[in-house]
Amino acid sequence: RYLDEERRYNSTTPKSFLEFVSFYISMLTDKQHKVKFNIERLERGLGIMKKVQQKVATLRTDLQDTIAMVEDKKAATEVLIEQVTEASAGAEEEKLAANVES
């Protein structure tokens, strides 16, 4: 009768199938949220790693500059030690010469 009057079929969908579709949609949105959260988390982690890489590069250049400065100061200190050693040896000789004269 419905087919004759409306010229359409009357079909029903089982409730269990509708529940399945509803469950699938809720599960899909939940998974999408989890994936989006993990993507954001990984992007934040990558951003932090890039910042750390830049800081490490800066620290390496600073370290190289400091090492060069330390080497220069070390060489200057060695020269100063040699001068002091020579001066003390000369002073010791003068002291001995002064003791011999007195």
Side-chain angles (χ1 to χ4, degrees), residues 7-96:
R7 295 180 187 231
R8 293 171 28 181
Y9 289 101
N10 184 17
S11 60
T12 58
T13 306
K15 189 174 181 179
S16 63
F17 180 74
L18 293 175
E19 288 175 352
F20 174 74
V21 170
S22 174
F23 175 70
Y24 178 78
I25 290 172
S26 67
M27 200 169 80
L28 180 65
T29 53
D30 183 48
K31 290 289 183 183
Q32 286 174 337
H33 289 304
K34 287 180 181 178
V35 168
K36 186 177 178 182
F37 174 76
N38 285 336
I39 288 172
E40 291 171 354
R41 187 173 152 224
L42 288 173
E43 286 176 346
R44 276 183 280 155
L46 287 174
I48 289 171
M49 288 180 73
K50 285 180 182 178
K51 288 179 184 176
V52 167
Q53 241 179 355
Q54 292 170 349
K55 286 182 181 179
V56 166
T58 304
L59 288 174
R60 281 187 179 168
T61 57
D62 289 346
L63 179 63
Q64 290 174 350
D65 293 343
T66 305
I67 287 174
M69 186 174 64
V70 166
E71 289 296 324
D72 292 342
K73 289 188 178 189
K74 183 178 174 184
T77 304
E78 288 175 1
V79 169
L80 184 64
I81 289 173
E82 287 177 15
Q83 291 174 354
V84 168
T85 305
E86 290 173 6
S88 65
E92 196 65 37
E93 288 176 9
E94 289 177 11
K95 182 180 177 184
L96 289 175

